[in-house]
Amino acid sequence: MADDVSQRASRLSRLWSELAMRHVALGSSCGCGAGGVSLQLVDFELDIVEYLEDQGLRSGVVEVEKFFRARPTSEATGLPLQTLLEDLERDEFPAEASEWVLTRLERTLKSFAELHGRRQQGES
């Protein structure tokens, strides 16, 4: 189980690193700064972790609630999503909490990849 958690977290960490610097299209202009405000997905890192924490604290799953009470996002500094993924890679959390967090992060980051992320073959 530990290898599975570690491998999944490692894949997500690589995906997030790839996605984090991508620009987000805002309205009718591109987020790259041409006619609009420049935002990157990394600007939403804290929002992602805060959303996870909020859902976790209301999940009704004891291990998940304990996990987020012990690790409040409000005290996070730096890159909270990257730090969370690195801690998951080291398999530092109870299995139930790790599985809950990984499942939601996989869904979230795959959605970002579909919407903003990976270039298709043939794109420049």
Side-chain angles (χ1 to χ4, degrees):
M1 176 80 165
D3 285 340
D4 180 52
V5 166
S6 217
Q7 290 172 356
R8 287 168 66 196
S10 180
R11 278 192 303 272
L12 288 177
S13 184
R14 286 190 306 272
L15 176 60
W16 178 245
S17 292
E18 177 186 321
L19 294 172
M21 295 301 139
R22 298 225 184 252
H23 289 103
V24 178
L26 301 173
S28 61
S29 62
C30 174
C32 66
V37 176
S38 180
L39 288 176
Q40 295 176 309
L41 287 175
V42 75
D43 295 324
F44 298 97
E45 185 164 359
L46 184 57
D47 295 327
I48 294 167
V49 177
E50 285 176 340
Y51 176 77
L52 274 177
E53 179 182 48
D54 181 59
Q55 294 299 303
L57 290 171
R58 296 186 298 139
S59 69
V61 180
V62 174
E63 285 298 325
V64 173
E65 291 173 0
K66 283 174 43 179
F67 169 81
F68 283 107
R69 277 194 296 275
R71 186 185 177 92
T73 302
S74 61
E75 296 174 12
T77 59
L79 301 170
L81 179 54
Q82 190 61 47
T83 300
L84 176 60
L85 288 167
E86 289 167 1
D87 290 347
L88 284 163
E89 281 184 73
R90 289 189 291 275
D91 198 27
E92 295 186 353
F93 309 122
E96 191 172 22
S98 292
E99 181 60 33
W100 189 95
V101 171
L102 279 170
T103 297
R104 279 144 188 89
L105 281 175
E106 285 168 338
R107 189 174 26 212
T108 299
L109 297 185
K110 286 178 183 177
S111 175
F112 274 142
E114 290 171 12
L115 292 172
H116 306 289
R118 297 191 170 156
R119 292 177 185 250
Q120 301 299 317
Q121 286 187 351
E123 278 188 45
S124 51

